[in-house]
């Protein structure tokens, strides 16, 4: 058997090599084959044991925009009570193309273009939720939700309580939140603290594609009004997703944070786009021997205080990072909860907040960059807390 394999390999090799100028090289290679095959049973067993390589399934890469689109598509298909309405969500595929293709698939009755009147179509959406439907109400940006804040707070958030639990309001208000680029003061606010202040609402702030996909599906299925705060600058950012995340029934629990990076020296707590800044800062600090634990809040209300406290008890230090203004912000609430709870006794230094600057957003790019948290600001604050 051994010599049969040898003869076959040599003949096959010779057929592939017909150039006489490389005869010497060919003879050398044939000699190498003979030596390998004549080396005994081990050589034959190696050949006979060969099989196809086995690799784990490759992750799917999906940007945040497409993750949101898929989540809505799957929920529209799953539940005929779900529909989407807002400005330019249908024929134009959405101002940011988050609803691309949905109008062509589901038609005018379930993907509805509205006039530019936030108070009006937000009220229509709330009324539809009262009637048993499950609307997704898109604001072109959350800055425009101020036109409809009475519907969001007084009509949606308070009705379940005021009806003694008899009238659920299953509605999702969604759209881009926080600062973008070059859109100045009236289009650059973070509403996490605004809506996180109000009982009766659930407030979600995703960072990556997994967050966007899993949390939006959970929000649509929830029987409570959910404020879903996306970020325009994250829409085109791709992330790797596992097969589990891509499953149609994958949902993330609302009210549960995620530790994105394990660490032992200091805890960084953030949400939305600033989570990525924290991870980048942690990578820089790791080169200097500082291991940061990065907590992605995912949900602003209800706040996952347990995960934050557990991390602070481990590291003994805390820095919060957010794009919103400092006064009465998300970071201020986290610091207050830590001070009032058992984790306070584990702090080795005062907690520090990294926030947007306490001014309306400037239009000039250089001023805009100085008005929102940067990686260098996080690194500076971490070193300050650790007295480096």
């Amino acid at each position: 058997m051994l010599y049969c394999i040898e003869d076959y390999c040599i003949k096959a090799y010779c057929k592939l090599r017909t150039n006489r100028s490389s005869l010497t090289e060919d003879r050398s290679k044939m000699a190498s084959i003979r030596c390998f095959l004549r080396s005994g049973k081990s050589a034959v067993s190696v050949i006979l044991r060969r099989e196809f390589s086995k690799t784990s399934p490759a992750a799917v890469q999906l940007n945040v925009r497409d993750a949101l689109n898929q989540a809505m598509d799957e929920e529209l298909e799953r539940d005929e009570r779900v529909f989407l309405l807002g400005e330019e969500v249908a024929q134009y595929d959405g101002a940011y193309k988050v609803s691309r293709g949905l109008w062509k698939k589901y038609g005018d009755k379930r993907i509805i273009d509205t006039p530019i009147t936030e108070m009006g179509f937000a009220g229509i959406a709330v009324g539809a939720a009262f009637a048993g439907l499950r609307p997704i109400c898109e604001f072109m940006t959350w800055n425009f939700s101020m036109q409809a804040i009475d519907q969001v707070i007084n009509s949606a958030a308070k009705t379940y309580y005021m009806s003694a639990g008899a009238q659920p309001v299953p509605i999702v208000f969604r759209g881009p939140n926080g600062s973008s680029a070059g859109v100045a003061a009236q289009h650059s606010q973070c509403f996490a603290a605004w809506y996180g202040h109000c009982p009766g609402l659930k407030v979600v702030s995703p960072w990556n594609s997994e967050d966007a996909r899993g949390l939006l599906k959970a929000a649509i299925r929830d029987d409570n009004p959910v404020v879903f705060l996306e970020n325009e600058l994250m829409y085109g950012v791709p992330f790797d997703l596992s097969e589990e995340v891509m499953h149609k029934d994958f949902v993330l629990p609302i009210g549960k944070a995620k530790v994105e990076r394990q660490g032992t020296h200091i805890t960084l707590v953030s949400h939305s786009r600033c989570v990525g800044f924290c991870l980048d800062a942690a990578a820089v600090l790791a080169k200097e021997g500082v291991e940061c634990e990065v907590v992605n809040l995912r949900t602003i209300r209800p706040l996952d205080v347990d995960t934050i406290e557990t991390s602070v008890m481990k590291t003994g230090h805390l820095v919060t990072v957010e794009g919103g203004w400092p006064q009465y912000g998300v970071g201020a609430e986290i610091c207050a909860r830590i001070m009032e709870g058992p984790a306070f006794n584990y702090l080795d230094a005062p907690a520090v907040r990294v926030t947007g600057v306490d001014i309306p957003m400037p239009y000039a790019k250089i001023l805009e960059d100085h008005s929102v948290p940067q990686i260098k600001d996080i690194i500076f604050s971490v070193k300050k807390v650790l007295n480096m």
Side-chain angles (χ1 to χ4, degrees):
M1 177 180 176
L2 180 63
Y3 290 101
C4 290
I5 295 174
E6 176 187 351
D7 292 340
Y8 175 79
C9 291
I10 293 171
K11 290 176 181 178
Y13 185 81
C14 289
K15 287 181 180 179
L16 293 173
R17 304 291 296 185
T18 59
N19 191 343
R20 294 182 179 180
S21 62
S22 59
L23 184 58
T24 303
E25 180 184 352
D26 292 346
R27 286 175 177 173
S28 174
K29 290 182 178 179
M30 284 189 288
S32 298
I33 293 173
R34 283 194 182 97
C35 290
F36 173 72
L37 293 173
R38 287 174 175 171
S39 61
K41 293 181 180 179
S42 60
V44 177
S45 61
V46 167
I47 294 173
L48 295 178
R49 286 201 310 269
R50 289 187 63 186
E51 57 185 28
F52 292 109
S53 61
K54 296 177 181 178
T55 57
S56 57
V60 176
Q61 196 168 74
L62 200 68
N63 64 35
V64 174
R65 175 186 292 107
D66 291 339
L68 294 166
N69 179 277
Q70 284 190 7
M72 288 193 292
D73 185 12
E74 290 171 8
E75 293 306 303
L76 284 159
E77 185 176 3
R78 174 181 172 271
D79 189 342
E80 64 181 9
R81 296 173 297 171
V82 176
F83 71 97
L84 171 68
L85 81 166
E87 297 158 356
E88 300 182 345
V89 299
Q91 296 186 44
Y92 189 66
D93 283 339
Y96 302 98
K97 306 306 175 188
V98 175
S99 55
R100 182 191 290 118
L102 298 182
W103 175 67
K104 292 181 180 178
K105 183 174 181 179
Y106 296 102
D108 291 323
K109 289 188 176 181
R110 300 187 67 192
I111 312 296
I112 304 169
D113 277 331
T114 66
I116 304 174
T117 168
E118 283 79 12
M119 175 65 106
F121 68 74
I124 290 172
V126 173
F130 287 171
L133 300 179
R134 308 187 81 88
I136 306 168
C137 177
E138 177 180 311
F139 295 119
M140 192 177 290
T141 91
W142 272 98
N143 301 277
F144 301 150
S145 75
M146 285 191 287
Q147 302 289 334
I149 200 166
D150 180 61
Q151 298 288 2
V152 177
I153 302 300
N154 282 327
S155 297
K158 297 177 181 178
T159 297
Y160 188 66
Y161 167 78
M162 294 176 69
S163 67
Q167 179 61 67
V169 189
I171 184 172
V172 178
F173 300 100
R174 53 156 294 270
N177 171 67
S179 61
S180 179
V183 292
Q186 293 178 322
H187 297 77
S188 300
Q189 294 155 177
C190 176
F191 285 84
W194 291 53
Y195 290 109
H197 181 68
C198 303
L201 291 176
K202 293 185 178 182
V203 183
V204 176
S205 182
W207 164 54
N208 60 12
S209 299
E210 178 180 331
D211 294 353
R213 179 175 166 78
L215 289 170
L216 183 54
K217 290 171 75 71
I220 295 169
R221 299 181 189 190
D222 202 292
D223 287 333
N224 297 283
V226 179
V227 167
F228 200 88
L229 304 173
E230 300 156 15
N231 188 284
E232 178 186 341
L233 297 177
M234 293 301 298
Y235 281 150
V237 180
F239 293 90
D240 289 336
L241 298 182
S242 66
E243 289 185 0
E244 177 189 3
V245 175
M246 293 301 295
H247 194 276
K248 287 190 175 183
D249 288 324
F250 174 80
V251 293
L252 289 172
I254 294 175
K256 182 64 179 175
K258 179 185 179 183
V259 177
E260 299 285 352
R261 188 183 195 278
Q262 296 288 339
T264 54
H265 296 132
I266 190 166
T267 298
L268 305 180
V269 181
S270 188
H271 68 96
S272 191
R273 184 170 177 244
C274 287
V275 175
F277 291 168
C278 289
L279 291 170
D280 290 341
V284 173
L285 289 162
K287 297 177 182 178
E288 301 181 36
V290 178
E291 293 299 330
C292 302
E293 183 149 296
V294 178
V295 178
N296 174 11
L297 287 176
R298 286 182 167 173
T299 307
I300 306 301
R301 185 182 185 104
L303 189 64
D304 185 3
V305 179
D306 290 343
T307 297
I308 301 170
E309 285 183 337
T310 300
S311 180
V312 171
M313 288 177 180
K314 180 171 73 170
T315 66
H317 301 91
L318 172 64
V319 171
T320 66
V321 184
E322 62 183 307
W325 293 314
Q327 192 156 326
Y328 313 119
V330 175
E333 175 66 17
I334 292 170
C335 291
R337 295 287 191 98
I338 293 299
M339 186 194 72
E340 294 167 353
F344 176 73
N345 296 318
Y346 290 79
L347 284 176
D348 295 325
V352 169
R353 292 177 295 158
V354 178
T355 69
V357 178
D358 197 19
I359 59 171
M361 179 65 72
Y363 176 70
K365 186 179 188 311
I366 188 169
L367 295 177
E368 182 183 72
D369 291 342
H370 282 83
S371 299
V372 294
Q374 304 292 337
I375 296 170
K376 62 181 178 61
D377 301 321
I378 301 171
I379 294 172
F380 174 82
S381 296
V382 167
K383 290 183 175 181
K384 176 183 176 182
V385 172
L386 296 178
N387 197 28
M388 293 176 63

